[in-house]
């Protein structure tokens, strides 16, 4: 008997992470995991030069 697919949208990010680690070949779970927003993520404009990104990251690391 095939077990039903979990509802990934209802899982917390931590639950989904654990599921993906245990079921590494589940592409649907992986897609949901990578599509989720990360509340602590730091985003840069795509047009920002790499040197400027590095400088800003260094500033953030110093603030920690």
């Amino acid at each position: 008997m095939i077990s039903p697919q979990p509802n990934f949208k209802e899982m917390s990010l931590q639950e989904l992470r654990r599921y993906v680690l245990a079921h590494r070949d589940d592409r649907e779970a992986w897609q949901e995991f990578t599509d989720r927003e990360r509340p602590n993520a730091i985003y840069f404009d795509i047009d920002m030069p790499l040197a400027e990104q590095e400088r800003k990251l260094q500033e953030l690391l110093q603030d920690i």
Side-chain angles (χ1 to χ4, degrees):
M1 180 174 203
I2 297 174
S3 59
Q5 186 82 354
N7 187 337
F8 303 123
K9 299 215 181 283
E10 290 182 0
M11 290 183 175
S12 69
L13 186 59
Q14 291 76 24
E15 291 170 328
L16 186 55
R17 179 180 177 273
R18 283 193 298 270
Y19 181 89
V20 168
L21 289 173
H23 303 89
R24 294 174 187 260
D25 294 331
D26 190 330
R27 292 183 184 269
E28 185 181 343
W30 178 250
Q31 188 65 46
E32 176 64 26
F33 182 74
T34 58
D35 286 349
R36 292 272 182 102
E37 289 192 29
R38 303 298 195 274
N40 296 327
I42 299 167
Y43 298 99
F44 294 108
D45 289 332
I46 197 164
D47 298 339
M48 183 181 293
L50 185 57
E52 180 70 11
Q53 291 179 28
E54 290 174 349
R55 185 185 66 73
K56 289 186 176 251
L57 284 171
Q58 286 299 326
E59 288 176 4
L60 291 167
L61 289 172
Q62 290 173 357
D63 291 343
I64 292 178

